[in-house]
Amino acid sequence: MLWPYKTSGISDHLFERLPGIPMSQREVRLLIISALRLLPESVVWDIGAGTGTIPIEIGLLCPQSRIIAIERDEEVANLIRRNCDRFSVTNVEVVEGNAPDCLQTLKPLPDRVCIEGGRQLKEILQDVWRNYLQPEGRVVATASSLESLYLLSEGFSTLQARNIEIVQAAVNRLETRGIQQVFAALDPMLILSGEKF
């Protein structure tokens, strides 16, 4: 088994990757999963799933949950499927489509949603919140730019989300460069979360 542990935090190098396709780094994944506050049988939608790291971590952590990974690009969707196979994760369904347009076909409805990307961040957040997210559900979204932070924070405010949290993850990892060990910074990431009542 590629990841025999009960804890999250799969090493990044264990995932198959494609050039130019973003991947949530291990430390950021831990914060995202923590912010989701998963239940044993949660229904999770991951919009802009990229490499599939979040769905796979959740799938292993909560084997009774159902995860739908939404990705617009066929090649990237196939990458998620291959990564699910690598980790023997069977509770992830991969859907190819553009959010928010493809969301109306998805079942079951989610109690947890992770928004990791999308060209229409604010529209995706609003559509998910108003039309699909179950009462007492949570949305966790990531922002790597000032523009996406503004769109998401404005969206959460407009929707009157409760218990809004924003965490900036600034992670440094020890790396070997030549004969020295130095700390190298990962790209900073903002993680926003809110609850629907």
Side-chain angles (χ1 to χ4, degrees), residues 50 66 71 73 79 88 93 101 104 142-143 148 154 156 164 167 178 183:
R66 292 190 58 185
E71 184 53 58
D73 183 272
L79 173 67
S88 302
E93 175 188 352
D101 300 333
Q104 60 190 338
T142 59
S148 56
E154 184 182 50
F156 274 115
I164 296 173
V167 174
F183 285 99

Side-chain angles (χ1 to χ4, degrees), residues 133-151:
L133 185 66
Q134 297 297 294
E136 300 184 22
R138 289 182 62 79
V139 171
V140 175
T142 59
S144 57
S145 69
L146 184 61
E147 291 77 13
S148 56
L149 172 62
Y150 175 76
L151 290 171

Side-chain angles (χ1 to χ4, degrees), residues 63-75:
Q64 302 305 314
S65 63
R66 292 190 58 185
I67 305 109
I68 299 177
I70 300 134
E71 184 53 58
R72 67 175 175 260
D73 183 272
E74 180 183 0
E75 187 178 8

Side-chain angles (χ1 to χ4, degrees), residues 81-185:
R81 292 182 183 102
R82 289 194 303 272
N83 275 321
C84 285
D85 290 343
R86 284 174 66 88
F87 291 93
S88 302
V89 173
T90 59
N91 55 342
V92 174
E93 175 188 352
V94 181
V95 172
E96 294 171 36
N98 284 308
D101 300 333
C102 71
L103 301 180
Q104 60 190 338
T105 64
L106 304 182
K107 296 286 187 239
L109 296 179
D111 59 277
R112 302 293 186 267
V113 176
C114 182
I115 303 173
E116 294 190 81
R119 294 184 179 135
Q120 302 169 288
L121 272 179
K122 189 174 176 184
E123 291 82 0
I124 291 170
L125 173 62
Q126 291 177 336
D127 192 40
V128 162
W129 193 275
R130 292 180 176 142
N131 300 316
Y132 307 107
L133 185 66
Q134 297 297 294
E136 300 184 22
R138 289 182 62 79
V139 171
V140 175
T142 59
S144 57
S145 69
L146 184 61
E147 291 77 13
S148 56
L149 172 62
Y150 175 76
L151 290 171
L152 289 169
S153 59
E154 184 182 50
F156 274 115
S157 177
T158 300
L159 296 166
Q160 298 181 335
R162 299 204 183 164
N163 300 324
I164 296 173
E165 296 178 358
I166 301 177
V167 174
Q168 181 185 18
V171 176
N172 295 288
R173 288 183 179 170
L174 191 65
E175 293 183 357
T176 302
R177 294 189 183 164
I179 59 169
Q180 295 192 340
Q181 303 238 337
V182 298
F183 285 99

